[in-house]
Amino acid sequence: MNRLLLISDSPDLGGHVADAIQSQIALISGPEVPAGPSQLFQQLGPGAPIPLVVVIDTAGREDEALGLSARLSTECPGMAVVLFSEQPDAFALSALRAGACDVVHPHTPLEELGRVLQRAAQVAQSSASAQPVPGDPAISGHADARGRVISVLSPKGGVGKTTVATNLAVGLARSAPLSTVLVDLDVQFGDVASALNMHPDHTLLDVTRGPAARDSMVLKTFLTQHETGLYAVCGPTNPADADAITPADVARLLETLAAEFRYVVVDTAPGLGEHALAALDHTNDLVIMTSLDVPGVRGLRKELDILRDLGLGFDRRHVVINFADTHSGLTKSDVEATINAGVDLVLPRSRPTAASVNQGVPLLQSDVRDPMTKKLRTLVERFAPAPAGAPGTPAAHSTVAPGGATTNTGRTRRFALPGLKSGRDQNQSTEGGRHRFLRKRVER
């Protein structure tokens, strides 16, 4: 067994442990015990194997050792902890409560210490093999061995994309606690941390570099957990760090997260940059959105055309219009005629939404009674059923068909208003006044 890490200031203890397992060991020395798993992995250095057993010398730092043991047992279930103590019998109960599998005296005979460490390795291996993955039918309900990647895309900024992405992720976290992760892929000016009122210790740059990029267990310790049970990968704090994140890094990250989480929600930067395109290559569902205005609708039409040309039509595509009101001069039918596709969800302009953004508390976290909250729940229900006892009810006149398409259960007349021409159909009839003016603006 060579995947053993000792945290101790004693050179003699290091030699004693190496003799007990008859193999080399990794050693972290210094006056302080790492505060958590991510700090431990960073101190291991690049290229170091992930330890199977962590042995901590508690001499003079019992509380710190117990704290690290508790976090490792919670966040790294495939890792076993053994503690050294001068008074193992008196320390045993505290060690057990902290998740350690054994506590021994530093001068334990080699043969006995070897057995203790070998038993710890077996415990770690058994624990790792028992961990379910998102594709396990017992938790996902289907045999697909990969989580569902949902990318939120928009042709331009300022359309509420991050607001929708964070609410979608919070809603899915309610349906699948601890099985949903949100990735801020706006590598320069991402606002996920602000939208969720979080202060992350690690960002997108950290999870695509170093040990977190090589091991899924390490990656999990670098994620930031929100109070709703949602995990998040927040954007870099410095826009200059974006240069160090490549499309290959994005692809590798999403593949790893999809193997560990049931839902992976990706908040992309506006437009179709290289990071967004890398995410689309690994996307199952696309939420493409814009605001209800002429520039936004024109951008949406162009973006849909580009996606079709790239062969990224997406069978499970969800078109969302935000900031809808009766004074914009545009309707859902206008938009559908322009983009030559159906609109799946229209989100109303809402005062509580602005307050929730400024407070960093998503509407689906606070459950504010507002039409926007109800519409956001409808969006969540396209991907996951509403959890038992959740506030709100599904929309009364819409159902979700196979593949995620929405169908109207009532009889609705649809008008392809000539005020907005489709980018692929230039033979629409015309109407006077306002519609002719809007059509000219859209087609420019």
Side-chain angles (χ1 to χ4, degrees), residues 126-137:
S126 299
S127 179
S129 63
Q131 293 302 306
V133 297
D136 186 342

Side-chain angles (χ1 to χ4, degrees), residues 121-382:
Q122 293 171 351
V123 169
Q125 290 170 337
S126 299
S127 179
S129 63
Q131 293 302 306
V133 297
D136 186 342
I139 61 172
S140 67
H142 54 76
D144 186 7
R146 183 178 183 269
R148 195 170 179 179
V149 180
I150 307 165
S151 292
V152 185
L153 195 70
S154 71
K156 66 185 188 73
V159 302
K161 175 176 53 59
T162 297
T163 299
V164 169
T166 51
N167 275 280
L168 174 59
V170 166
L172 291 173
R174 279 187 164 185
S175 173
L178 305 180
S179 296
T180 303
V181 61
L182 171 63
V183 180
D184 190 348
L185 208 55
D186 188 340
V187 295
Q188 286 188 313
F189 302 106
D191 282 329
V192 162
S194 174
L196 292 173
N197 195 25
M198 296 192 304
H199 305 280
D201 293 326
H202 307 288
T203 69
L204 181 64
L205 184 65
D206 300 312
V207 302
T208 55
R209 289 289 180 271
R214 300 190 304 269
D215 189 279
S216 60
M217 182 177 68
V218 179
L219 172 61
K220 286 182 178 180
T221 68
F222 278 69
L223 304 179
T224 304
Q225 187 170 7
H226 189 247
E227 57 190 283
T228 59
L230 170 71
Y231 288 96
V233 177
C234 298
T237 55
N238 186 347
D241 291 339
D243 295 337
I245 302 170
T246 67
D249 293 333
V250 172
R252 183 170 57 248
L253 173 64
L254 295 183
E255 279 299 304
T256 303
L257 291 175
E260 299 293 332
F261 290 89
R262 192 182 305 184
Y263 299 109
V264 181
V265 180
V266 183
D267 181 24
T268 65
L272 287 173
E274 57 182 5
H275 297 100
L277 290 174
L280 291 179
D281 285 337
H282 298 269
T283 294
N284 303 107
D285 292 82
L286 178 65
V287 177
I288 185 166
M289 59 178 294
T290 192
S291 49
L292 191 61
D293 53 62
V294 169
V297 176
R298 288 178 61 204
L300 177 61
R301 184 187 70 191
K302 293 176 182 178
E303 192 159 54
L304 287 172
D305 288 346
I306 292 173
L307 291 176
R308 292 188 192 104
D309 293 341
L310 293 174
L312 297 173
F314 287 97
D315 294 333
R316 293 189 292 195
R317 184 186 67 196
H318 315 265
V319 178
V320 177
I321 302 297
N322 198 14
F323 301 135
D325 59 41
T326 57
H327 306 292
S328 66
L330 299 179
T331 67
K332 176 182 174 182
S333 297
D334 294 333
V335 177
E336 291 176 329
T338 300
I339 66 175
N340 197 30
V343 171
D344 299 287
L345 189 65
V346 178
L347 303 177
R349 193 176 294 276
S350 162
R351 286 186 180 180
T353 303
S356 76
V357 171
N358 292 333
Q359 296 166 1
V361 182
L363 291 175
L364 292 188
Q365 178 183 351
S366 61
D367 287 323
V368 173
R369 295 176 63 88
D370 183 71
M372 179 67 162
T373 308
K374 293 181 180 180
K375 291 289 188 178
L376 289 170
R377 289 198 192 104
T378 301
L379 178 62
V380 173
E381 288 160 11
R382 286 177 161 265

